[in-house]
């Protein structure tokens, strides 16, 4: 009964706020503080594991076998091994699955606390922390309406996934009543299907013929490829069989969803806990932790762990009236495949964006090979537009303004100098692409992303600086005014700041979950683009300061007028050649990243 905070190690403000918000809005499935009123009826910890069925090292004892209403009975829970959590109740010995009766007072309030079960304050007692202990004592007060016989029950947690459910304690009776034999208690088991170890890995043979498959990467085979994520399903009579495989440290899972958003999904988990895999059916509401099913809906369960790959299979009925949150498999759904880490059987948030099928499909429909993507289409558009804006349009537009002002002095384009018109068109295109690309993540998310790190903050800064540029240009002073130098420096400074921050933002962007490009080669491509840009700008800078220039071989002779004209023509050709190389190189880098986005 411990609090499980999967992202506890990520100490940053956004994560803390996200965790705080989720704690405020959702129920927690493990409680190290002992506030376990949700388990009052079943006494079952919500730790997503089965109770231990071996002999327990813990015992319950009482200091009296007879009682009268109002009497105080000392109850002791002790063991030969440490335990971290507990839940003690008194119940009617003839109905141990009934409600808690009586009330407890505490002997040591530091390690124990009273809970309100069955609307009776103090009718149960639990731990206050997960500190290790070997004994706990409490006092039970018999109520005036106590049944003739009372039995004490305890759920004892040795560690997160190691616990004993409803350990039977002594039966005490009123007056001369002879204690009746205690009834067996009900052990609630989630998806308590018999399991087997799979003799061999799954295969993609038969996909599209005898079974439907969702595979990532496309055409991989889980029987030979340890990096293959694989989900298959096939129908036989009123049952559908599922196979799930993927490389993961903790768990692989899939969900049936009515849309492409997480929430209100029929979810299935294969969780690796120290070499054993538990297969669970669950349901998600919003972005909360999956709530495991308390009904046994899975059959023919099997699993396998080898070479870092978790594989599991199971079958379930098309309709599950005993568990109404399970979806009917005769309807069409999108398929989600996710994976992540787990600790003591408690899953953490998936480490990558889930693989989502490109279209919905009727689960019991004809067999087909499905395609999917881990990146939503809007986020692909966002990435593509930003790359084009800042790797091509923006960088080329800045180059024109910085180095091509002396060229084509007698020629105009739409009434303005050529360099100015090209610069203005390219920078206008940059503003347009940046504005449109900026909108897409908000359309996709519908809100601010709290898990995107520095990327959205850098992106917003770039957008602000980008829009400052045309505003400053619209109100710029005339070229010969005394204040023109202020505009020149501001325009230059804001433009360079926007470009630098945009490049930094791109490095963060290609590592986002929703647009996670292959690492490390895409980082290498982006790094090469930065170096390439710096080198070619340095070449133009050296040429501008006559460090790189055409040599005549007769530097001690005075140039004639025709030589000056020839040098000017050569300078223009040199700069145009460098510009062509610059654009071609940037295009190659940009196309490489765009192709990588297209493959997601």
């Amino acid at each position: 009964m411990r609090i499980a905070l999967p992202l506890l190690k990520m100490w940053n403000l956004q994560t803390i706020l996200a965790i705080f918000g989720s704690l405020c809005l959702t129920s927690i499935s493990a409680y190290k503080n002992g506030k376990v009123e949700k388990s009052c009826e079943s006494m079952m910890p919500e730790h997503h594991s089965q109770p231990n069925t071996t002999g327990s090292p813990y015992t319950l004892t009482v200091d009296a076998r007879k009682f009268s209403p109002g009497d105080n009975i000392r109850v002791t829970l002790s063991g030969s091994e440490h335990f971290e959590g507990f839940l003690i109740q008194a119940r009617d010995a003839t109905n141990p699955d009934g409600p808690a009766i009586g009330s407890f007072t505490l002997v040591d309030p530091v390690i124990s606390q009273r809970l309100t079960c069955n609307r009776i304050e103090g009718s149960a007692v639990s731990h206050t922390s997960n500190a290790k202990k070997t004994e706990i004592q409490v006092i039970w007060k018999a109520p005036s309406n106590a049944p003739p016989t009372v039995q004490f029950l305890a759920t004892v947690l040795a560690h997160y996934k190691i616990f004993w459910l409803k350990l039977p304690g002594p039966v005490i009776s009123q007056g001369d009543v002879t204690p009746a034999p205690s009834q067996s208690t009900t052990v609630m088991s989630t998806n308590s299907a018999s399991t087997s170890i799979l003799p061999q890995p799954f295969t993609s043979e038969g996909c599209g013929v005898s079974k439907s498959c969702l595979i990532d990467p496309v055409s991989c085979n889980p029987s030979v490829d340890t990096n293959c994520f694989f989900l298959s399903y096939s129908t036989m009579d009123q049952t559908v069989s599922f196979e799930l495989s993927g490389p993961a440290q903790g768990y692989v899972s899939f969900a049936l969803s009515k849309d492409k958003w997480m929430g209100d999904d029929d979810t299935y988990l294969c969780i690796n806990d120290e070499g054993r895999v538990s297969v669970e059916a669950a349901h998600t509401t919003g972005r909360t932790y999956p709530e495991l099913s308390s009904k046994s809906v899975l059959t023919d369960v099997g699993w396998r762990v080898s070479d870092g790959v978790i594989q599991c299979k199971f079958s379930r009925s098309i309709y599950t009236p005993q568990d109404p949150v399970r979806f009917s498999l005769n309807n069409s759904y999108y398929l989600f495949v996710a994976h992540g880490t787990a600790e003591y059987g408690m899953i953490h948030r998936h480490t990558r964006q889930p693989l989502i099928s490109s279209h919905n499909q009727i689960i019991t429909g004809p067999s087909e090979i499905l395609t999917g993507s881990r990146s939503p289409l809007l986020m692909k558009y966002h990435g593509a537009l930003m790359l084009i804006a800042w790797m091509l349009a923006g960088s080329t537009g800045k180059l024109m303004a910085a180095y091509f002002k002396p060229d084509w002095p007698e020629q105009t384009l739409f009434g303005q100098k050529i360099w100015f018109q090209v610069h203005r068109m390219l920078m206008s295109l940059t503003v347009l692409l940046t504005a449109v690309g900026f909108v897409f993540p908000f359309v996709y998310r519908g809100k601010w992303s709290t898990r995107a790190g520095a990327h959205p903050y850098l992106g917003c800064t770039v957008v602000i600086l980008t829009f400052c540029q045309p505003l400053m240009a619209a109100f710029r002073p005339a070229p010969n005014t005394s204040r023109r130098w202020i505009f020149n420096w501001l325009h230059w400074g804001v433009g360079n700041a926007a470009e630098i921050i945009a490049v930094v933002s791109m490095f963060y962007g290609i590592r986002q979950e929703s647009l996670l490009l292959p690492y490390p080669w895409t980082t290498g491509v982006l790094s090469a683009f930065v170096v390439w840009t710096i080198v070619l700008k340095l070449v133009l800078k050296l040429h501008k300061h006559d460090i790189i220039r055409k040599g005549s071989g007769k530097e001690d002779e005075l140039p004639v007028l025709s030589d000056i004209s020839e040098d000017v023509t050569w300078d223009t050709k040199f700069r145009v050649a460098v510009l062509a190389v610059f654009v071609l190189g940037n295009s190659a880098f940009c196309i490489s990243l765009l192709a990588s986005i297209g493959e997601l």
Side-chain angles (χ1 to χ4, degrees):
M1 303 177 186
R2 303 173 55 190
I3 288 181
L5 297 178
L7 301 179
L8 193 58
K9 297 181 180 178
M10 298 176 62
W11 288 105
N12 57 64
L13 179 60
Q14 297 170 32
T15 303
I16 293 172
L17 290 175
I19 294 173
F20 179 78
S22 65
L23 288 174
C24 292
L25 296 174
T26 64
S27 61
I28 304 302
S29 47
Y31 306 79
K32 75 177 183 183
N33 62 8
K35 300 291 187 180
V36 292
E37 281 88 350
K38 285 183 65 176
S39 298
C40 278
E41 181 180 350
S42 66
M43 298 187 72
M44 179 78 172
E46 295 189 345
H47 287 192
H48 318 295
S49 61
Q50 304 297 327
N52 204 320
T53 56
T54 61
S56 166
Y58 311 108
T59 57
L60 275 172
T61 59
V62 295
D63 64 352
R65 291 287 182 168
K66 299 289 184 178
F67 73 93
S68 298
D71 284 355
N72 291 322
I73 305 294
R74 181 177 292 268
V75 182
T76 302
L77 171 63
S78 59
S80 57
E81 298 180 6
H82 291 95
F83 57 94
E84 296 182 0
F86 63 91
L87 177 63
I88 300 174
Q89 291 182 3
R91 295 187 176 186
D92 186 341
T94 61
N95 183 24
D97 292 327
I101 57 177
S103 62
F104 290 91
T105 57
L106 305 177
V107 174
D108 186 352
V110 175
I111 60 175
S112 59
Q113 63 184 328
R114 304 196 319 155
L115 302 178
T116 299
C117 294
N118 194 32
R119 299 183 180 179
I120 301 173
E121 184 177 357
S123 57
V125 64
S126 71
H127 54 284
T128 57
S129 73
N130 62 346
K132 294 181 178 180
K133 38 203 161 275
T134 57
E135 182 179 285
I136 179 71
Q137 291 188 352
V138 291
I139 304 297
W140 179 76
K141 184 175 182 179
S144 59
N145 60 345
T149 56
V150 172
Q151 184 175 31
F152 294 96
L153 302 172
T155 291
V156 186
L157 178 75
H159 194 51
Y160 184 80
K161 292 202 70 174
I162 303 175
F163 64 91
W164 285 261
L165 178 64
K166 286 186 178 180
L167 291 178
V171 177
I172 61 175
S173 58
Q174 292 195 56
D176 296 329
V177 175
T178 301
S182 61
Q183 301 296 314
S184 61
T185 59
T186 300
V187 175
M188 185 181 73
S189 173
T190 58
N191 307 317
S192 55
S194 59
T195 62
S196 62
I197 298 178
L198 300 173
Q200 58 188 15
F202 302 136
T203 178
S204 58
E205 293 182 8
C207 287
V209 179
S210 59
K211 58 186 179 182
S212 294
C213 299
L214 175 62
I215 308 174
D216 181 46
V218 176
S219 301
C220 69
N221 191 335
S223 64
V224 294
D225 187 353
T226 57
N227 293 316
C228 183
F229 288 91
F230 174 83
L231 171 65
S232 75
Y233 48 93
S234 57
T235 305
M236 181 175 293
D237 297 328
Q238 295 300 308
T239 300
V240 177
S241 297
F242 293 89
E243 297 175 332
L244 178 64
S245 173
Q249 294 297 317
Y251 71 94
V252 290
S253 65
F254 77 91
L256 309 177
S257 181
K258 298 173 184 176
D259 51 36
K260 290 190 174 184
W261 288 95
M262 290 182 61
D264 191 27
D265 301 329
D266 188 359
T267 306
Y268 300 88
L269 305 162
C270 302
I271 308 171
N272 182 13
D273 185 16
E274 298 181 352
R276 294 185 60 86
V277 176
S278 60
V279 183
E280 309 281 359
H283 182 77
T284 58
T285 303
R287 291 178 175 268
T288 61
Y289 192 94
E291 183 176 348
L292 298 188
S293 171
S294 61
K295 307 296 182 181
S296 179
V297 297
L298 308 184
T299 59
D300 190 27
V301 177
W303 59 269
R304 185 176 187 269
V305 178
S306 178
D307 297 326
V309 177
I310 301 173
Q311 297 189 328
C312 66
K313 74 176 185 72
F314 64 86
S315 300
R316 58 149 285 195
S317 299
I318 295 174
Y319 300 102
T320 56
Q322 73 273 30
D323 192 357
V325 298
R326 303 271 78 77
F327 292 173
S328 166
L329 301 183
N330 273 337
N331 297 329
S332 61
Y333 305 102
Y334 290 96
L335 296 170
F336 286 53
V337 176
H339 70 286
T341 59
E343 186 177 11
Y344 304 122
M346 181 74 171
I347 67 170
H348 295 189
R349 185 178 183 274
H350 47 78
T351 51
R352 289 183 64 189
Q353 187 84 357
L355 175 67
I356 304 175
S357 60
S358 58
H359 64 277
N360 53 359
Q361 190 210 25
I362 299 176
I363 304 303
T364 55
S367 298
E368 64 174 293
I369 298 177
L370 301 171
T371 59
S373 173
R374 295 186 184 273
S375 294
L377 191 60
L378 285 177
M379 298 307 293
K380 290 183 178 181
Y381 289 156
H382 165 74
L385 291 179
M386 291 303 188
L387 291 176
I388 295 171
W390 292 100
M391 294 183 73
L392 289 177
S395 59
T396 306
K398 283 183 76 278
L399 203 72
M400 291 296 299
Y403 301 104
F404 286 84
K405 291 179 181 179
D407 299 310
W408 313 291
E410 305 300 328
Q411 301 179 40
T412 62
L413 181 64
F414 304 119
Q416 295 284 350
K417 291 185 177 181
I418 293 177
W419 76 265
F420 178 76
Q421 289 289 45
V422 174
H423 168 74
R424 184 162 61 179
M425 286 188 293
L426 288 175
M427 299 318 294
S428 297
L429 180 60
T430 302
V431 173
L432 177 63
L433 294 175
T434 301
V436 176
F438 178 75
V439 171
F440 285 151
F442 291 96
V443 174
Y444 169 66
R445 292 284 183 188
K447 60 180 181 179
W448 183 265
S449 176
T450 59
R451 301 180 185 274
H455 181 69
Y457 297 97
L458 294 171
C460 287
T461 304
V462 170
V463 170
I464 293 171
L465 294 175
T466 301
F467 276 94
C468 284
Q469 290 291 74
L471 290 176
M472 285 192 295
F475 296 99
R476 67 187 183 274
N480 298 323
T481 60
S482 60
R483 293 177 297 172
R484 178 70 179 203
W485 68 272
I486 299 176
F487 164 77
N488 290 340
W489 278 105
L490 282 175
H491 197 57
W492 177 86
V494 171
N496 281 288
E499 183 178 33
I500 291 170
I501 298 173
V503 171
V504 174
S505 182
M506 284 191 286
F507 275 100
Y508 280 99
I510 62 175
R511 302 306 302 157
Q512 293 296 308
E513 273 192 19
S514 56
L515 197 68
L516 188 61
L517 300 189
Y519 181 84
W521 83 265
T522 52
T523 302
V525 169
L526 200 53
S527 300
F529 158 74
V530 173
V531 174
W532 171 264
T533 301
I534 292 173
V535 168
L536 290 186
K537 285 185 176 181
L538 181 61
V539 169
L540 288 174
K541 177 70 72 173
L542 294 175
H543 176 264
K544 183 177 182 179
H545 292 282
D546 289 335
I547 298 175
I548 298 177
R549 59 192 178 93
K550 181 180 179 181
S552 64
K554 300 179 180 180
E555 297 181 2
D556 55 338
E557 297 181 7
L558 292 174
V560 295
L561 187 61
S562 61
D563 293 334
I564 296 175
S565 175
E566 182 182 345
D567 286 345
V568 170
T569 303
W570 183 87
D571 288 342
T572 298
K573 291 180 179 179
F574 179 83
R575 283 189 286 266
V576 170
V578 174
L579 176 64
V581 173
F582 179 85
V583 172
L584 288 174
N586 284 13
S587 298
F589 293 126
C590 186
I591 291 172
S592 297
L593 295 178
L594 292 176
S596 180
I597 291 175
E599 293 175 358
L600 292 178

